Amino acid sequence: MNQTIKALSVLFIIIISGQVFAQNTSGEIIFERKQFWVNIYTKLPFLTKEQIEREMAVWGKDQGNWAEKYLLKFGDNKSIYTQMEEEQNYGYSWRQEEVMFYRDYKEKTLTDKLPLGDKDYLLTGDIPRIKWKIQNELRDIQGYICMKAIAEHPIYGTPVTAWYTDLIPLGGGPEGFGGLPGMILMLTFNEDDVVIEATSVKLNVEGSKVELPKKLKGKEIALDKYVEDKKKFMKEALDNRRNPYNNLRY
Amino acid sequence: MTRKITLSLLFAALFSVFLHAQSSKISGLVTDSLNNSLINATVLLLEEDSTMIEFTQSELDGSFAFTKIPYGNYIVKVTYVGYIPQSIPFVADKKDIDLGRVVLNEISVELMEVVVKAARAPLKMRGDTLEFDITQFKVPENSTLEDLIRRLPGMEVEQGGGIKMDGKDVTSVKVEGKSFFGNNPTVATKNLPAQGVSSVQVYDKKTDDQVATGNTTPTNEKEMNVVLKDDFKNIVFGKGTVGGGNIDRFEGKFSFNKFTPEHQFSVIGVGNNTGRNGLGWDDREDFFGNQAYSDFESLKYGFNSLGGMRIIYFSDENDLNLEGKISELFNSSGSGGLPKNATGGANYNYDREKIKLGARYLFNHRGNEMNSFSSVNRFLPGNITNFDTTTSNNINTGNVHRIEAAFTGEIDSFNTIKVNADFGMLASQNNNNRLGLAFRNGDELISSSSISSDRNNDGMLGRGSIVYNKTFRKKSRFLGINSSYAASTLAENTGNLSQIDFENTDDTYLNQSFDNDARKKQIMANLMYNEPLGKKYFFSVFHNLDYTSQTGDVLVEDIFENERSVNEQLTRNYDTRVMTNFSGASLRYSSEGLNIAAGYGYQFTDLFGDFNIVNQKVAVDTTFKLPSLVGNVNYQISRNGSVGVNFSRSVTPPQISQLIPIVNNANPLYIRVGNPNLEPETTNSVSGNIWLSKPLSGLRVSLWGDYQLRQNAVTQAEEVSENFVTTTIPINYKTRTGVSISGNVGFPIVKNKVTSSARLYVNQSASYRLVNSVENFTKTFSVNPGLNVNITPSQNFFMYLNGGIRVSNTKYDISSAQNQKIITQNYSATLNFQIVKTLFFNSNYAHAFYRNDRTGQNNSIPIINASIYKQFLPGNKAEIRLAAYDILNKNTNYNLFAGNNIVSENETQTLARYFMVMFSYNLKGLNSGINRN
């Protein structure tokens, strides 16, 4: 009974606090997303110590040289996070994953476009609450002093670290993460598997509009179902001693 | 409207709950240390475990409040830019909780400027510990931990190396929580490189007494703990295997590796007479460390130079080639016989900041004895068949030493230089004895021959290359220049003894000695430039120059009753030079998964050759102008599927050895003559491919097709005499075509437990050959379907089944009565499982069937291998294995072939049944899981 009361009151508080922070902050942030393949691979549970160390010795220094660029536009209590057009390098073009995270902080709803396997999905639902734990660490990112907060990844169950600044008082961030007292400027998954860091922050950008694209291709799916499917795929891959991230966007 | 109703309903619900639940109002005031209110400070309400519940901002007067907070334990945390965050734990147990003044202290300017702003290092406050995560603290190269500490705020380093923090002495330094360096803390700080440190923690030192009693009164001494970066901790791994068996079989293998981020050192040693347990990919990676794949870059440019890779060369067990590289030894494959191998070497890599260095040495000894029997049926015009049988014994031994050094330096982020140097030394011996019989039309004996040769090779090679790569501020603009020089000498000494007894003519007896001193020099210079034209178009040009000169002195002596006389037909000296200039340009379009490229190239090849034979001088001087054309389209249908079409037309010049009009009769039954009128061959090729995969369901489909048409094709013209002495000369004659189609579908039967893949290869080839001036057109059509099934019901059980049939039809228009149909079938099963916890069983059964109804050849070879092994010692570091190879004692290397105007059968004796006991030890523990190997 006591738990229910606490949960309900927390829900209530969130509704209220959303209104308090309905400030009209707008801007554009460019994030660089780096995936560290060796770090991911060497944490797979089925490898022997020898295999892990061999991988580190051969490839350890050759990871993290390549970054994908993403743009987070925010304003009107909304934000949209999409991959920026890939610059062709020496003339070969691959199909890139179509990723979009759209957040409406006023309505507390989300519309995401995410791949799973060979299909693109359109996810809709309410913004889920992330249980952030606020830490005692500070760091500077692009001139903004950020506080550290940690949480558990809703799909992988691994640690997520966010560095947010209350100087941009909108509870958004890259990859759909948010709910903190300010904008997340850096996000890491499982310590060093994926690092997403702001490389440019522009506030009050003129002519920048946050709108959901009119045409959105993808199979519609509820957020919960998508999470469930992804978890299942992860488990199957690990049970069969495969690296799930070979075929999965982290 | 709806929303309003929902909200009021919710309010009503909450209100009724609140009537029963007890809640608090929490208030407070945020000020700085001078009692000034801090406005808009972020105030967080956290649960006891610091999970965030709610947040707000302080008002104009610094006040804040949270209302309707259920009773419980909470923390209020206040953050404000430039101030140290403050946390206040409290218990909400009454209606109004006033936390009073929450005072925030300013972060010292020093900390803020040095740690947070300048070093961009996270600053952590944890009770009495002040911690800097200093991975991003910039210090000059080669700095020690002491240099780093000097830069940390609040820390001082005294003259003698003593460390103080906030005026208190740091009396003990621990590394990873361990007191490594006795009582003198400066040993650690003076010696540890700063780059290896991930964080430094400083806290009040607790006396033993305090540790015992839990007394927390601050002391005057500080203790420092240095946390190392993970990758800085040394990686050491090593393993070894020794084994012995019946019929004198032995195997031994060891490797040891020590890797740090800057230095990588490895040694390896392998010796066996089983031909197994050679060197594979894992050994290659262990040995070369981070340079395991640096050999793959090709120096010559081409139409697809960017992203192009050198094709991996898999060397044969018996092949010791002077121009090889160390890496090639790591991917050898067996070829039957009775092998004896030994390899040993060491590698060192240095990798720091912008410099990579590698140096390695490897010694390799190869030995093999092969006894084989072969029979060849040759169809000649006029319904004549020639049936030859050969029994041969071939013994190869050889030693090779190789040294390689590689340097890569990044001058800056745009300029890279690579320098490679290598040196090789080879000594090999070959002894070959053959007994042959030649029959006409089945059973009429024409000749019997006995040929034996003894060959010794001694060679040396030196090679160096320099590569310069430049990238520019403009993305995709690229310049690559490289140059290389190689020089080698090879002294070959051969003694040939042959006796051929012809039934209808005079016998031939040859006793010759060959001495060839060959020298080779090769200079290459290559250049390429890539320019982006807008965002989607790219233009690139390249030029490759290759100058190869080969000179040599060949002395051939006929030996008769211990008298040596110079053979005037074969003794010569030669000087050949080949100069190739190849220029090309290509234009590419790339956007949204569509890639189109077209290229045109032009090659000039100048061939010069001077051959001085005792009474004759032969010269070759010719130039070939060879255009080439490529085009390809590749479209990525989706992330998991693509289609591609490629077209190419290229012209290949003849080899200088094919052009020399000299008769080579070293083998009196098979005489080769060069053709100075030989022209280049044109190859046209069209290919297409499709692949698709569904990662979620595990379905994979790939299809590939290729058509090749060679015009002005180079083929052999054979003149076969009455006594079956064959003289061949290379000629250009009509065309040669080849079509191949392959398909592969991988699909799950029981998801993740039973998977299967089906394959189909279809090949057709058609070629001409002139036999005694009669055109012989041979067409071979083969179909090769196959299926495999992978069964892994659990982690402790693995089964793999594979089956395939190859039906090959060969039609000879010279002698259609001899059309051949060869059927080869291969079936295999692998079964691996865990018997009990550390006891495992591996087995493999392979059965091959060969059939040719026309010749009545019908052969089947079943092979069964099995082993049982037990792992022991903590961490499964040791393993003892009992293994049985070829339990049925049937192993042999067998091959059936039909093509051109021949059908052949070849069988090589191979190591058959033997048993072994093996012991392995691995510092890191052995892989205990069951898998394919």
Side-chain angles (χ1 to χ4, degrees), chain B residues 534-547:
Chain B
K535 280 202 160 178
K536 293 174 179 174
Y537 290 90
F538 303 86
F539 179 71
S540 73
V541 285
F542 66 88
H543 185 87
N544 298 333
L545 181 150
D546 181 334
Y547 173 78

Side-chain angles (χ1 to χ4, degrees), chain B residues 372-380 384-391 434-449 451 500 502 667 669-670 718 720-726 857 901-906:
Chain B
S372 51
F373 175 82
S374 69
S375 67
V376 178
N377 226 331
R378 198 154 52 133
F379 314 120
L380 302 170
I384 300 168
T385 59
N386 162 212
F387 181 67
D388 282 351
T389 62
T390 310
T391 311
R434 293 194 306 274
L435 291 173
L437 294 170
F439 300 91
R440 190 202 305 269
N441 295 344
D443 53 1
E444 184 193 340
L445 183 68
I446 299 297
S447 69
S448 55
S449 62
I451 297 172
I500 297 152
F502 290 103
N667 180 347
L669 287 176
Y670 197 81
E718 283 182 3
V720 183
S721 74
E722 279 284 290
N723 297 312
F724 295 143
V725 173
T726 307
Q857 285 155 326
N901 57 334
I902 62 165
V903 188
S904 73
E905 180 185 21
N906 187 302

Side-chain angles (χ1 to χ4, degrees), chain A residues 175-192:
Chain A
E175 309 275 319
F177 281 82
L180 285 161
M183 183 61 75
I184 299 170
L185 293 185
M186 184 173 172
L187 192 70
T188 65
F189 294 157
N190 204 7
E191 311 293 344
D192 53 7

Side-chain angles (χ1 to χ4, degrees), chain B residues 218-472:
Chain B
T219 55
N220 261 331
E221 291 180 22
K222 293 261 180 192
E223 188 168 73
M224 188 162 98
N225 183 35
V226 180
V227 182
L228 296 179
K229 279 184 199 168
D230 255 2
D231 62 355
F232 202 77
K233 296 162 194 168
N234 291 345
I235 295 175
V236 173
F237 54 100
K239 57 189 172 186
T241 299
V242 284
N246 65 330
I247 53 166
D248 298 327
R249 294 305 102 184
F250 71 89
E251 274 178 8
K253 183 174 173 178
F254 83 92
S255 67
F256 176 80
N257 310 274
K258 188 174 173 181
F259 293 160
T260 70
E262 287 183 7
H263 307 277
Q264 299 191 324
F265 175 74
S266 29
V267 286
I268 197 165
V270 181
N272 67 69
N273 63 2
T274 57
R276 293 180 319 105
N277 216 2
L279 300 167
W281 285 106
D282 285 353
D283 299 295
R284 179 198 178 108
E285 293 190 339
D286 287 349
F287 185 70
F288 287 93
N290 62 23
Q291 302 211 348
Y293 299 95
S294 56
D295 249 12
F296 282 75
E297 236 173 307
S298 161
L299 293 179
K300 278 193 178 168
Y301 295 111
F303 296 109
N304 290 315
S305 283
L306 293 158
M309 272 193 153
R310 189 204 286 183
I311 293 159
I312 310 158
Y313 173 71
F314 284 86
S315 70
D316 195 86
E317 282 278 352
N318 307 300
D319 189 36
L320 275 173
N321 94 58
L322 186 57
E323 297 187 19
K325 302 211 77 175
I326 289 178
S327 57
E328 288 163 11
L329 283 168
F330 284 80
N331 307 100
S332 52
S333 55
S335 61
L338 303 166
K340 213 183 260 184
N341 300 313
T343 302
N347 179 66
Y348 171 72
N349 296 338
Y350 175 81
D351 184 350
R352 173 138 177 206
E353 306 272 304
K354 285 161 179 168
I355 288 174
K356 265 191 186 183
L357 217 113
R360 42 198 165 259
Y361 163 77
L362 201 85
F363 162 75
N364 182 228
H365 168 84
R366 294 281 173 92
N368 199 353
E369 180 173 354
M370 290 170 96
N371 288 303
S372 51
F373 175 82
S374 69
S375 67
V376 178
N377 226 331
R378 198 154 52 133
F379 314 120
L380 302 170
N383 264 339
I384 300 168
T385 59
N386 162 212
F387 181 67
D388 282 351
T389 62
T390 310
T391 311
S392 78
N393 168 273
N394 191 58
I395 299 170
N396 263 315
T397 51
N399 295 319
V400 62
H401 298 265
R402 298 190 197 283
I403 297 171
E404 291 174 3
F407 166 85
T408 305
E410 249 179 70
I411 301 165
D412 53 44
S413 52
F414 296 115
N415 298 284
T416 310
I417 281 188
K418 290 180 200 175
V419 181
N420 278 278
D422 64 302
F423 176 78
M425 234 169 82
L426 167 92
S428 67
Q429 296 85 43
N430 173 272
N431 175 270
N432 188 298
N433 293 292
R434 293 194 306 274
L435 291 173
L437 294 170
F439 300 91
R440 190 202 305 269
N441 295 344
D443 53 1
E444 184 193 340
L445 183 68
I446 299 297
S447 69
S448 55
S449 62
S450 156
I451 297 172
S452 66
S453 73
D454 257 306
R455 196 176 71 231
N456 285 292
N457 279 328
D458 268 297
M460 270 213 272
L461 166 91
R463 188 162 46 192
S465 68
I466 179 160
V467 179
Y468 170 67
N469 285 337
K470 183 169 174 58
T471 53
F472 298 82

Side-chain angles (χ1 to χ4, degrees), chain A residues 54 57 129 132 137 166 241, chain B residues 42 52 124 259 286 795:
Chain A
R54 176 180 297 133
R129 185 198 166 206
W132 289 109
E137 275 181 75
D166 47 16
R241 301 177 169 223
Chain B
T42 303
M52 187 181 78
K124 196 186 276 183
F259 293 160
D286 287 349
Q795 300 269 329

Side-chain angles (χ1 to χ4, degrees), chain A residues 13 50 53-54 57 61 88 90-91 93 95 118 129 132 134 137-140 166 179 239-241, chain B residues 42 52 54 117 123-124 136 259 261 264 286 351 476 590 593 595 635-636 694 752 795 922 924:
Chain A
I13 286 157
E50 188 186 3
E53 297 191 342
R54 176 180 297 133
K61 282 199 168 182
Q88 315 298 339
Y90 305 127
S93 162
R95 280 275 165 175
D118 57 327
R129 185 198 166 206
W132 289 109
I134 310 296
E137 275 181 75
L138 295 173
R139 80 184 298 167
D140 175 286
D166 47 16
D239 283 352
N240 289 285
R241 301 177 169 223
Chain B
T42 303
M52 187 181 78
E54 185 183 348
K117 288 286 180 193
L123 183 66
K124 196 186 276 183
Q136 289 169 45
F259 293 160
Q264 299 191 324
D286 287 349
D351 184 350
S476 296
S590 290
N595 298 284
Y635 181 62
Q636 309 268 315
K694 304 256 175 196
N752 291 315
Q795 300 269 329
N922 190 324
K924 293 292 173 183

Side-chain angles (χ1 to χ4, degrees), chain A residues 55-66:
Chain A
E55 184 78 7
M56 302 235 310
V58 177
W59 299 112
K61 282 199 168 182
D62 286 335
Q63 53 174 345
N65 296 330
W66 192 68

